[in-house]
Amino acid sequence: MRVYENPLLKLNVSVHDNKVRLDAEGALSLPAKPVLKKINKVFADEKPIRSDEEEVIFSTWVPPIPSIPFDRMISAEVGALLTKRVPDQTSVGITMRCPNNCIHCGASDIAGSGEPGRDEIENVIDQALDLGTYLISFDGGEPMMRKDLPQMVAHVDKERAIATSFTSGYGLSEEMAHALKSAGMYAVRVSLDGADATEHDRMRGRAGAFDDAITGIKNALSAEMLVDMFVVVSPANIDSLDEFYSLACDLGVHELSIYEIIAVGRWMDHEDEVITKNDVVRLTKFQKRINRQPDGPRVTAFPYFMGPDLFGCFAGRRWMHVTAAGDVLPCAYTPLSFGNVREEPLGDIWKRIGKHPAYKGSADYCMMRNPEFRKRYIHSIPDGAEMPYRVG
């Protein structure tokens, strides 16, 4: 089926044996080959969440195929060929309130008082969509503590983007889940740090956190939303990958996403307690092994997905994060502010990020894992400086 078309490029998608493939026609088909090769490599190696003759849901991170948001995703890929920078994904902090006290919280030192009004958040969303964003993620704190979250989700123009939200599960009641579904929420990402209550509650600093996560997952599934179990791997839990996947299967979630612990926030002084290159290889093999199996949730391991074999680091190139205080960061895990949306347009700040030496070129893997980047930009932050640190 035809999924994208402009005067210079046409893209068709086909599905055979539950595998997706993109083919190109037109003047830009040759320069588009490297990008399509990477996309088709992922499609060929991995199973989608579901597919039929009318629609393919490959991942909770990818708009439905076909759809206008998917067209916008492809436009961003084509734009990258022409050195046009598009913030594919924009995450928006809507509150700093949170019931947990996570020992690895990356947002614990975010400065700013008060909570952004809904009109302010919706203005940021509109600006991001105008820049080309096709995935809006609501972040926190705990987003479910904002009772007007469904109204924010409804504001996202579904003709241009999909809406998702991170959550610990706290506050994701049956009522909230159905309200989010009615508002057009594409997927929720429920985070887990342990495959059992003992480890998860220890990491979250609160008894009952595991039960909240499991209840939230069940409520979201009951509301017929896509559900992603979002696991942050560290040296403490990387040996539990199969246990996490078994839990994902038992619960019936659609995807298991794996991110890596970052030495930022409360984990800033734990640079020796992050995953290694060998761990990334391990995660890559785990993703490929699971996604070769026809049944069960798909796996997306971001240290592989955003690594040198595929798309590289998204921060400041494909992703930007707006904190609840309005500061614009290259990603939610990089404590460098390039401006504030309360003071200037989002587009101007996005351009400023692209002119910064650290973000002009590509990066093979997470820059916050790069010792040279940390030495130059993170370790040089003055003691006692307000976080995130304002660049320039």
Side-chain angles (χ1 to χ4, degrees), residues 140-382:
E142 172 49 68
M144 300 299 150
M145 297 189 79
R146 287 287 300 252
K147 299 309 177 186
D148 55 353
L149 176 58
Q151 286 77 22
M152 298 179 207
V153 172
H155 183 81
V156 177
D157 183 352
K158 308 310 185 301
E159 287 295 304
R160 297 202 281 175
I162 55 175
T164 67
S165 181
F166 292 94
T167 177
S168 66
Y170 182 92
L172 186 49
S173 62
E174 290 184 24
E175 181 182 10
M176 176 62 89
H178 285 280
L180 292 173
K181 173 66 175 180
S182 297
M185 179 74 84
Y186 184 67
V188 291
R189 311 194 188 284
V190 183
S191 54
L192 278 173
D193 294 313
D196 58 47
T198 301
E199 177 61 12
H200 181 76
D201 289 1
R202 181 187 73 83
M203 291 290 289
R204 294 292 161 133
R206 182 176 67 86
F210 184 80
D211 290 341
D212 285 340
I214 300 304
T215 299
I217 286 172
K218 291 178 178 179
N219 288 339
L221 289 170
S222 178
E224 299 184 344
M225 276 190 290
L226 294 177
V227 178
D228 175 30
M229 182 187 292
F230 190 84
V231 173
V232 176
V233 290
S234 68
N237 65 9
I238 195 167
D239 289 334
S240 300
L241 293 177
D242 286 317
E243 287 82 355
F244 278 116
Y245 191 72
S246 178
L247 178 60
C249 291
D250 290 344
L251 291 169
V253 303
H254 301 91
E255 189 160 21
L256 170 64
S257 290
I258 302 172
Y259 210 81
E260 60 184 293
I261 197 166
I262 304 293
V264 68
R266 293 193 184 117
W267 210 250
M268 180 71 83
D269 297 326
H270 295 258
E271 289 186 49
D272 294 333
E273 298 179 62
V274 295
I275 65 172
T276 66
K277 289 183 179 179
N278 287 338
D279 291 329
V280 174
V281 171
R282 186 174 173 184
L283 292 173
T284 301
K285 291 180 178 178
F286 178 74
Q287 174 175 328
K288 291 183 176 182
R289 171 171 65 86
I290 295 298
N291 288 342
R292 281 195 295 265
Q293 301 171 8
D295 300 320
R298 65 166 277 106
V299 167
T300 299
F302 278 94
Y304 164 59
F305 187 81
M306 296 195 296
D309 293 336
L310 288 177
F311 299 100
C313 182
F314 276 25
R317 300 168 182 84
R318 313 287 292 273
W319 178 16
M320 64 178 166
H321 177 73
V322 183
T323 73
D327 284 299
V328 181
L329 321 182
C331 79
Y333 305 99
T334 306
L336 301 176
S337 172
F338 284 81
N340 193 290
V341 291
R342 294 172 178 171
E343 301 168 2
E344 58 184 321
L346 186 60
D348 291 350
I349 303 172
W350 176 245
K351 289 178 183 177
R352 185 177 300 126
I353 296 175
K355 293 177 181 178
H356 190 274
Y359 298 99
K360 278 185 177 179
S362 60
D364 283 344
Y365 59 95
C366 174
M367 294 176 68
M368 285 294 286
R369 194 154 36 93
N370 183 333
E372 291 302 315
F373 175 84
R374 293 186 68 91
K375 180 180 179 181
R376 184 169 183 181
Y377 298 108
I378 306 303
H379 294 166
S380 62
I381 295 175

